[in-house]
Amino acid sequence: MDNFVPSYIKLRVNPDTVNYVWAAPPYGGTRTLEMDVDRPFTLKFDIIGYVRGSFVVKLEANGETKELLSLSSATYNSWKSIQLSSSTAGRLIFESYGDNYVWIDNIAIPEIGFYDDVETGNAGWTANGWFIVMHTLSKEIPESFDFQLISPSGTAVMPQCTVTSSYFDCQYSPSTVLEKGNWTIRLTNSGDRKVEADVTAYVVYPSNGHDILSEAVNDIVRRGVVAVIAAGNSGELGERSIASPGSAENAITVGAVDKAGKVAYFSSRGPVGYNPEYIKPDVVAPGVAVVSTWKDGGYASLSGTSMATPHVSGIAALLLQANTDLTPEDVKRAIEESATDIEIAGKDVKSGSGIVDAYKAFATAMNMQVSKNQPPVVLFEITPEKPVAGEPVFFKSLSYDPDGKVVWVKWEFGDGTSWIAPGINHVYEKSGEYQVKITACDDKGLKNSTTTILRVYEPMVTVEGYVFNSLGKPVDAVVEAGSEMTKTDDNGYFTLMVEKGAVVTVSAEGYAEHTFTADGDMTVNITLRDVNPPVIELPALPEYINYTELSLAVSAYDAETAVDEVIYLLDGVETAPELTLTEGKHEVKVVAIDHDGNKAEETVLITVDITKPEITVVEEGWSDNGYKVVLRTSEEVELRVDEGDCSVSGDGISWDVVVKSTHAKLTAIDKAGNANSIEINLPEIQIELLEPSGVTNKAEFKFVLPVEAAFTLYVDGNAVYEGYGSGEITVNANIADGDHTWWVEALNAASERLTFTLDTKPPEVLSVEKDGDTLIVKPSEELKWARANGIEMQREGDVWKCSIADSTIKITMEDLAGNVGSYTYEEKAVVADFTYTPEEPKAGQRITFKAYVEGINYKQIIWVFSNGRMRMGATTTMSFGSPGEYTVKMAVIDYSYKVVKVVVKNIVVS
């Protein structure tokens, strides 16, 4: 680089270190930081930030709250140390509420040996709305020193400047072009000793907005991309401190303001460029002490125009989402026009158009009139409609531009030639199809095109004539050549204009197609040959018949000409339409021939059968499914059931018949319709009853049906169940307990009759008592056996006994019908106790006594006190006039007025 634009040279001594602190940001309601302190204490801590709401340090102890410090308006631009004390122990609370932004560090409570520099985590604090964040601190330089800037030629170009703190910056603003080369910094101090400090020299060359990066940003904006770029953090250098790419004219360049709405000291300033120049930044947004997410899931308070830029990017995204037609220029204009002006009135080099306002920007964008350049609409007309080779064709543009005007129209004719004009005549040398392209351009350079296929024809000639068939009758025909077409009239006449040399096709349904070439004006007479055979319609004849005389009523016709001859053949021998047939298979054929020699034939095969089929019984007898009969027929038949209930299966000759009724009639019908019948009568069946009989607890009926058949179950003369089956059958019926008689009927046969007694109720215990260890049980009915906790009991008359010492006894019994019942007997123990409150009563104090009793429904509770008094009831009260030890007795009385339990306690009254 041979020359530099006017620039800045800055020196900063900046041995910065990172420190972790507790931070309470200005959101989230009341934010508290709490810890319990178990003794009186002294509290020391450092604070920085501002308070516009309230900041309180307080102590909660014994239900009371004491304020140790209360701030409602305070600003600490540097760390301030605060010391407080408390004469009591309690819960120490830092509370921040409202628009505050405070940081605290180095919290110390010497009395409990507590020191918290926040570097190692929360150290036992309970945080609600407080966060541990990084904070940048600058160490003091221990002694002052001087510096000089030395040019490449060794000349000191700046007076000496004394620096005593890390944030003191020495700045050199030259008025001329700086010397090219490497610059150095010379550091000395008053004692001419070596100074150890981290030194950074900044040499800033302001962008004029036309460097490669800025022009790239301008280009992507022109392509429709919204670019939001930070102004930079070199505001201490004064004006013209915005570097590339923030210097790009088309970008939205963003500076930073603090919470008071003042431009941050570090926010880079404009203007940009030299002759001409333009104002940057475009807008400003919050960028000082912005709390943001940080690495490892934490938060950090950061400052810079890079913290301000995301606010504006979010507003831009909001506008584009609300109005997708906005251009980057529209977005920039909406954000600037809606910004709140600060600093100098109007757009200035520190704050641009002002502080962004998302709501106003949204409203501005929604009301903006957005327009885009519309492409021209391409329209045209071509005459004549059917252009001919060698003759002029006129091309005329009808194009227009909806938001401007069409400045030129280009025609590309498809034969290798083109022309620019709104309208023009063009001559095609040869016939054929050509692709024509029309392009229109508007006054903004936007083009639009369309294409069309143009057919150029040969000269037209006239062909005419008649179309007949072989009988000389007019034919309804279609005459066509390419897209030209006509039909013959009722006399078969046609006339048609076609291109010279075109192939003319004459076609009609049912006739062979005829073609010829139109060499010029011509007259032709055409005979079309019939290609369809005649149609033969035979009567519907079955494949098998059981008669020998047959007359064929045949119809034959031809749709195009006529049928000249019909021939009948029986088994290959010509015959008359009236046929005499013998038993067996025959072939009957009919042949028809039309006027043009087309032949059609129809053949039918007929089998004559006049013999009835024979039916033979091969085997019969009872099976699991019913009465089975095996039949065989003399020929293939259909076996039809005329009477009775039976199932039939077979292959047409061998048949299995299962009869389920006492009688069945079947008929065999062969393919010719001959029929023969057979009748089947069933022998009588035997039904065997199995159970129930005697005494039972289940209404479950079992019997054996030797054949598959419908059956009915009767109980006491009533039909209680109807079913179908065979073999051993089980039926469950719903009948009442008592004595019953039952039987089964099927296929007109009835079984024997059985009687039984149904008892479904389990035995019950009428009474139970215990005489010492002897258990005595009286059941409700006669038993097979009885057990008590598994011990066999012995019958003595109408009671059962056994010896057992258990207090809880389960008695199990089975009656003669097999029903099992059970009963549980319990000897209940009585449990009693009482409580009294208060547990440490005082003389004269009312004491409440409450009884607890389990295992008995008692009649009354009686209380007896050693002071000579008595009370009744589950709950009672008593007071004693003087201190001492007193005896309290509680007695539980049952409904026979016996004392079943006594509880005695001694209580001490103070």
Side-chain angles (χ1 to χ4, degrees):
M1 185 183 299
D2 295 329
N3 294 294
F4 299 100
V5 296
S7 59
Y8 305 90
I9 298 178
K10 171 187 173 183
L11 173 68
R12 168 175 289 179
V13 179
N14 190 22
D16 290 344
T17 60
V18 173
N19 181 41
Y20 288 92
V21 300
W22 282 107
Y27 53 79
T30 301
R31 287 84 70 194
T32 59
L33 188 64
E34 306 178 19
M35 172 183 283
D36 290 323
V37 183
D38 63 359
R39 67 195 70 180
F41 61 90
T42 301
L43 171 67
K44 301 177 182 180
F45 63 93
D46 295 337
I47 185 171
I48 193 172
Y50 61 85
V51 177
R52 295 197 183 98
S54 66
F55 178 80
V56 178
V57 181
K58 58 186 179 180
L59 186 76
E60 290 184 353
N62 300 322
E64 298 180 352
T65 300
K66 177 182 179 181
E67 289 188 353
L68 306 180
L69 174 69
S70 177
L71 302 175
S72 59
S73 178
T75 300
Y76 303 108
N77 293 322
S78 60
W79 288 102
K80 177 177 176 60
S81 295
I82 293 179
Q83 180 169 322
L84 306 171
S85 63
S86 172
S87 60
T88 60
R91 190 162 184 82
L92 175 63
I93 301 173
F94 290 90
E95 181 180 276
S96 178
Y97 178 79
D99 185 17
N100 302 341
Y101 210 147
V102 294
W103 295 265
I104 60 175
D105 195 9
N106 301 326
I107 308 171
I109 306 176
E111 288 78 7
I112 61 174
F114 178 83
Y115 178 76
D116 179 18
D117 62 358
V118 202
E119 303 301 317
T120 58
N122 63 9
W125 292 100
T126 299
N128 178 23
W130 286 73
F131 304 94
I132 296 177
V133 300
M134 286 194 309
H135 194 273
T136 301
L137 299 176
S138 299
K139 296 179 179 178
E140 292 291 331
I141 302 302
E143 57 182 305
S144 64
F145 63 91
D146 305 327
F147 80 90
Q148 290 179 311
L149 295 175
I150 310 301
S151 71
S153 61
T155 303
V157 300
M158 180 179 181
Q160 292 185 346
C161 179
T162 300
V163 178
T164 59
S165 69
S166 62
Y167 275 114
F168 188 97
D169 299 322
C170 284
Q171 175 178 310
Y172 172 49
S173 301
S175 58
T176 60
V177 175
L178 293 177
E179 181 180 348
K180 179 181 177 182
N182 295 320
W183 290 68
T184 58
I185 300 172
R186 179 180 298 160
L187 295 175
T188 59
N189 66 3
S190 58
D192 202 18
R193 297 189 304 274
K194 179 181 178 182
V195 176
E196 294 185 359
D198 295 329
V199 179
T200 303
Y202 300 96
V203 181
V204 182
Y205 300 98
S207 170
N208 62 1
H210 296 289
D211 58 279
I212 294 177
L213 184 55
S214 294
E215 290 295 356
V217 172
N218 290 333
D219 185 59
I220 65 170
V221 173
R222 284 191 290 268
R223 295 172 183 266
V225 178
V226 177
V228 183
I229 300 176
N233 302 321
S234 300
E236 303 125 298
L237 300 179
E239 294 186 358
R240 297 190 180 278
S241 53
I242 296 177
S244 178
S247 57
E249 185 173 9
N250 293 344
I252 302 175
T253 304
V254 183
V257 294
D258 59 18
K259 295 184 182 298
K262 301 296 184 181
V263 176
Y265 72 92
F266 56 76
S267 183
S268 293
R269 272 65 163 167
V272 172
Y274 304 91
N275 193 27
E277 66 180 21
Y278 49 88
I279 294 177
K280 287 283 181 175
D282 297 300
V283 288
V284 289
V288 177
V290 176
V291 175
S292 180
T293 54
W294 194 247
K295 59 185 178 181
D296 300 326
Y299 294 86
S301 173
L302 303 175
S303 298
T305 55
S306 293
M307 301 303 289
T309 302
H311 293 80
V312 184
S313 298
I315 295 173
L318 178 67
L319 302 189
L320 290 171
Q321 181 186 39
N323 188 346
T324 57
D325 291 332
L326 294 177
T327 65
E329 293 79 9
D330 296 329
V331 173
K332 183 175 182 181
R333 179 161 57 93
I335 292 175
E336 287 201 57
E337 289 180 359
S338 61
T340 301
D341 192 16
I342 61 174
E343 301 289 341
I344 301 173
K347 190 172 184 180
D348 60 79
V349 297
K350 287 180 64 178
S351 64
S353 295
I355 302 175
V356 293
D357 187 320
Y359 180 81
K360 290 182 180 179
F362 181 86
T364 301
M366 293 303 293
N367 294 322
M368 291 180 67
Q369 297 295 323
V370 180
S371 61
K372 295 182 179 179
N373 182 29
Q374 302 296 315
V377 179
V378 180
L379 300 174
F380 62 91
E381 66 178 10
I382 301 174
T383 54
E385 185 178 350
K386 288 187 175 182
V388 177
E391 298 180 4
V393 182
F394 184 63
F395 295 84
K396 181 180 179 181
S397 172
L398 304 176
S399 304
Y400 67 92
D401 187 56
D403 56 357
K405 63 180 180 178
V406 176
V407 295
W408 55 259
V409 177
K410 181 179 180 181
W411 305 87
E412 297 175 61
F413 299 109
D415 59 357
T417 63
S418 62
W419 198 262
I420 296 178
I424 188 172
N425 280 313
H426 183 70
V427 176
Y428 288 93
E429 299 295 332
K430 297 179 180 179
S431 61
E433 289 187 347
Y434 297 88
Q435 179 172 290
V436 179
K437 180 178 181 181
I438 306 98
T439 302
C441 180
D442 67 10
D443 52 357
K444 297 182 181 63
L446 188 59
K447 302 173 185 176
N448 196 12
S449 300
T450 188
T451 59
T452 186
I453 300 299
L454 178 65
R455 170 72 186 277
V456 178
Y457 295 86
E458 288 285 348
M460 304 298 286
V461 297
T462 301
V463 294
E464 61 178 341
Y466 290 86
V467 180
F468 301 105
N469 63 14
S470 59
L471 296 178
K473 295 181 179 180
V475 175
D476 184 12
V478 174
V479 182
E480 56 187 331
S483 62
E484 305 297 332
M485 185 269 291
T486 188
K487 292 184 178 181
T488 57
D489 61 16
D490 293 341
N491 297 317
Y493 174 79
F494 72 90
T495 180
L496 183 67
M497 289 192 67
V498 300
E499 287 186 77
K500 183 178 180 181
V503 175
V504 182
T505 301
V506 182
S507 59
E509 186 176 358
Y511 293 91
E513 190 176 84
H514 178 81
T515 60
F516 64 92
T517 301
D519 296 326
D521 294 335
M522 57 191 304
T523 300
V524 292
N525 292 320
I526 300 165
T527 300
L528 297 182
R529 181 183 175 278
D530 176 15
V531 295
N532 287 339
V535 176
I536 301 173
E537 293 181 350
L538 288 177
L541 296 174
E543 184 180 356
Y544 293 85
I545 61 175
N546 57 6
Y547 47 88
T548 58
E549 299 297 326
L550 180 63
S551 178
L552 295 176
V554 175
S555 173
Y557 64 91
D558 187 81
E560 289 75 33
T561 56
V563 176
D564 287 354
E565 184 178 11
V566 177
I567 302 171
Y568 298 88
L569 301 172
L570 176 60
D571 297 329
V573 179
E574 188 172 348
T575 183
E578 291 74 22
L579 306 177
T580 299
L581 306 172
T582 59
E583 194 165 17
K585 291 185 178 181
H586 300 279
E587 179 188 79
V588 178
K589 181 182 292 185
V590 179
V591 180
I593 305 171
D594 68 11
H595 188 71
D596 286 339
N598 299 302
K599 183 187 293 185
E601 61 179 49
E602 293 288 341
T603 300
V604 62
L605 298 177
I606 299 175
T607 299
V608 178
D609 179 8
I610 58 176
T611 304
K612 290 183 178 182
E614 296 180 1
I615 307 173
T616 303
V617 177
V618 177
E619 182 184 351
E620 63 180 314
W622 291 107
S623 69
D624 293 340
N625 298 323
Y627 193 74
K628 181 178 181 181
V629 181
V630 179
L631 303 177
R632 186 173 183 84
T633 56
S634 58
E635 59 181 301
E636 189 174 346
V637 299
E638 173 193 352
L639 192 59
R640 183 182 69 205
V641 178
D642 293 332
E643 298 175 6
D645 182 11
C646 59
S647 62
V648 177
S649 62
D651 59 5
I653 294 183
S654 296
W655 300 89
D656 290 338
V657 180
V658 178
V659 183
K660 303 174 184 179
S661 56
T662 58
H663 169 77
K665 180 181 180 181
L666 298 92
T667 299
I669 306 169
D670 66 15
K671 295 179 180 180
N674 303 299
N676 197 8
S677 298
I678 185 173
E679 295 189 13
I680 302 172
N681 294 303
L682 268 63
E684 187 176 347
I685 65 170
Q686 297 295 321
I687 305 172
E688 179 185 2
L689 301 186
L690 301 178
E691 57 181 48
S693 63
V695 180
T696 182
N697 61 356
K698 295 188 292 185
E700 185 177 81
F701 300 87
K702 293 184 178 180
F703 56 92
V704 178
L705 195 61
V707 299
E708 189 170 356
F711 64 84
T712 303
L713 171 66
Y714 290 90
V715 178
D716 300 332
N718 299 314
V720 298
Y721 187 84
E722 293 182 352
Y724 187 88
S726 64
E728 185 175 310
I729 297 174
T730 301
V731 175
N732 290 297
N734 185 16
I735 60 176
D737 287 5
D739 297 330
H740 302 283
T741 302
W742 71 286
W743 68 91
V744 177
E745 295 181 2
L747 295 175
N748 294 329
S751 70
E752 63 175 332
R753 301 190 179 197
L754 291 181
T755 61
F756 68 97
T757 300
L758 180 64
D759 178 9
T760 60
K761 296 180 179 179
E764 298 177 354
V765 173
L766 297 181
S767 66
V768 59
E769 61 181 290
K770 199 174 181 187
D771 185 4
D773 287 343
T774 300
L775 178 69
I776 304 170
V777 177
K778 184 176 183 179
S780 61
E781 57 183 297
E782 190 174 351
L783 302 178
K784 290 182 181 179
W785 54 263
R787 299 184 184 96
N789 283 357
I791 300 173
E792 295 288 342
M793 303 184 72
Q794 303 300 319
R795 178 178 178 179
E796 295 183 10
D798 61 349
V799 299
W800 293 70
K801 296 182 178 181
C802 73
S803 178
I804 186 169
D806 299 343
S807 60
T808 299
I809 305 172
K810 183 176 182 181
I811 304 167
T812 309
M813 307 165 288
E814 182 181 354
D815 64 13
L816 299 181
N819 301 302
V820 176
S822 64
Y823 176 82
T824 301
Y825 170 76
E826 280 193 31
E827 283 186 313
K828 294 185 178 178
V830 178
V831 178
D833 196 2
F834 70 86
T835 61
Y836 58 91
T837 54
E839 294 181 357
E840 297 179 359
K842 294 179 170 50
Q845 186 178 16
R846 182 67 60 180
I847 306 172
T848 300
F849 296 86
K850 186 173 182 180
Y852 295 91
V853 180
E854 294 182 356
I856 188 173
N857 291 326
Y858 60 88
K859 177 70 174 181
Q860 186 59 274
I861 304 293
I862 298 177
W863 305 84
V864 179
F865 301 94
S866 60
N867 63 354
R869 298 186 182 184
M870 186 174 68
R871 295 282 190 274
M872 291 192 296
T875 302
T876 188
T877 61
M878 176 59 63
S879 63
F880 300 93
S882 59
E885 186 176 35
Y886 295 88
T887 300
V888 179
K889 297 181 180 180
M890 181 193 80
V892 181
I893 312 299
D894 66 9
Y895 279 87
S896 62
Y897 296 97
K898 295 179 180 179
V899 176
V900 296
K901 195 74 175 181
V902 176
V903 180
V904 179
K905 291 184 180 182
N906 292 325
I907 65 174
V908 176
V909 178
S910 61

